[in-house]
Amino acid sequence: MDLLKEVGNARSIGIAGHMRPDGDCAGSCLALYRYLSQIKKEAQIDLYLEPIADKLQITEDSLRVKQENVEGRIYDVFISLDSGSIDRLGFAEEYFKNSIKTINIDHHISNTNFGQVNYVAHDASSTCEVLYELMEKEYIDLTIAKALYMGIIHDTGVFKHSNTTRRTMEIAGALIEKGVPFSDMIDNTFYRKDYHQNQVLGRCLLESILLLKGKCIVSCVSRKMMEFYEVQSADLDGIVDQLRITKGVEVAILIYEADIHEYKVSLRSNGIVDVRKIAVYFGGGGHIMAAGCTMRGTLHDVFNNLTPHIEYQLENKEGTGAGL
């Protein structure tokens, strides 16, 4: 796809990513916003995202993110990034639907191709990797490079997931050559936690339970617990990955209470179980080894509905062992 040709002479361009933006979502949106702002200087360019976690606000463009929903606003072109389906755009869904031309750029295998123009590279590690390939390289400055690098390290787990390819490493190297402070960025956006985040992590590890003969580990976070530790949902990042590396575990699950009888579920696999299939079954999405969904009912309902799907795959060894 020729990105600049698809954007054409648009006078107004909207950009949005999925709800609860993670590193790849925030990185790709910030990178594309800066890229188009440099090239399409006469166009109005607006970036819409739900609040970005402080640690992911690595460029000054983070301050330009909009969260309002203005009725009747129509864009010449609206670009969705890192969203597997249109409903994942949240409040920006209406902007996308009402725009004259829509472009969908992603890497999720579960993407529903909901744009008029769709560019979904299933073999890419991240949407930031996809964007790098679509960008004219002379326009990639340090600000864009930092945003792209952040997305790549977050969706590859700092290059440890099996979605990391030779091309991923080549792109990361090219971004480092732009001056990306890669060591600090990895620490600050991926590993570093504040005191409250460490406390809730410890609580989740302490109260985790093993299921299915030790092949599955689960931990839950209630609203009361989040209030006690003064944390938000974004502060739970990384907990499910820490659970996943428990010896003998094939699937890790983190469940947190979002509302009365409503739970957000994060799933991670070590290869045998395709957690994307499970998440899609319950209306969510993601990757083979990292996925999520929203489930309703009691906490016991969530447990009882999830575990048969995991048990079935464990018994039939359906997972591919492929990467994210």
Side-chain angles (χ1 to χ4, degrees), residues 219-255:
S219 194
C220 306
V221 182
S222 66
R223 293 299 306 172
K224 186 177 293 187
M225 189 190 303
M226 293 175 72
E227 290 168 5
F228 178 81
Y229 289 111
E230 300 177 1
V231 296
Q232 304 297 320
S233 58
D235 296 311
L236 306 179
D237 288 351
I239 294 176
V240 69
D241 293 297
Q242 188 64 43
L243 292 167
R244 181 189 61 82
I245 60 174
T246 304
K247 186 175 181 179
V249 162
E250 289 295 338
V251 179
I253 306 172
L254 179 70
I255 303 169

Side-chain angles (χ1 to χ4, degrees), residues 21-23 25-34 37 46-68 143-144 146-148 150 185 189:
D22 57 11
C25 176
S28 58
C29 287
L30 291 170
L32 185 60
Y33 177 84
R34 171 57 67 100
S37 295
D46 294 325
L47 171 57
Y48 296 96
L49 280 175
E50 289 185 355
I52 303 173
D54 290 345
K55 67 180 182 180
L56 302 180
Q57 295 183 25
I58 60 167
T59 77
E60 61 187 28
D61 295 323
S62 302
L63 302 175
R64 299 183 175 91
V65 174
K66 298 177 182 292
Q67 271 121 30
E68 79 274 14
T143 299
I144 294 172
K146 287 169 64 177
L148 292 175
M150 179 176 73
M185 184 174 292
T189 73

Side-chain angles (χ1 to χ4, degrees), residues 268-304:
R268 296 292 184 273
S269 170
N270 280 322
I272 291 178
V273 175
D274 180 348
V275 292
R276 183 191 63 84
K277 286 184 179 180
I278 299 170
V280 168
Y281 182 87
F282 291 107
H287 308 283
I288 292 171
M289 297 175 68
C293 59
T294 299
M295 298 179 68
R296 290 172 175 81
T298 67
L299 187 57
H300 290 292
D301 291 333
V302 174
F303 274 108
N304 292 336

Side-chain angles (χ1 to χ4, degrees), residues 55-56 58 150 153-154 184-191:
K55 67 180 182 180
L56 302 180
I58 60 167
M150 179 176 73
I153 62 173
H154 276 258
D184 286 344
M185 184 174 292
I186 290 170
D187 277 345
N188 291 333
T189 73
F190 198 84
Y191 289 119

Side-chain angles (χ1 to χ4, degrees), residues 6-13 40 42-44 76-77:
E6 293 293 348
V7 171
N9 296 317
R11 304 294 295 179
S12 60
I13 304 169
K40 303 292 182 181
E42 303 303 316
Q44 173 192 344
D76 292 334
V77 175

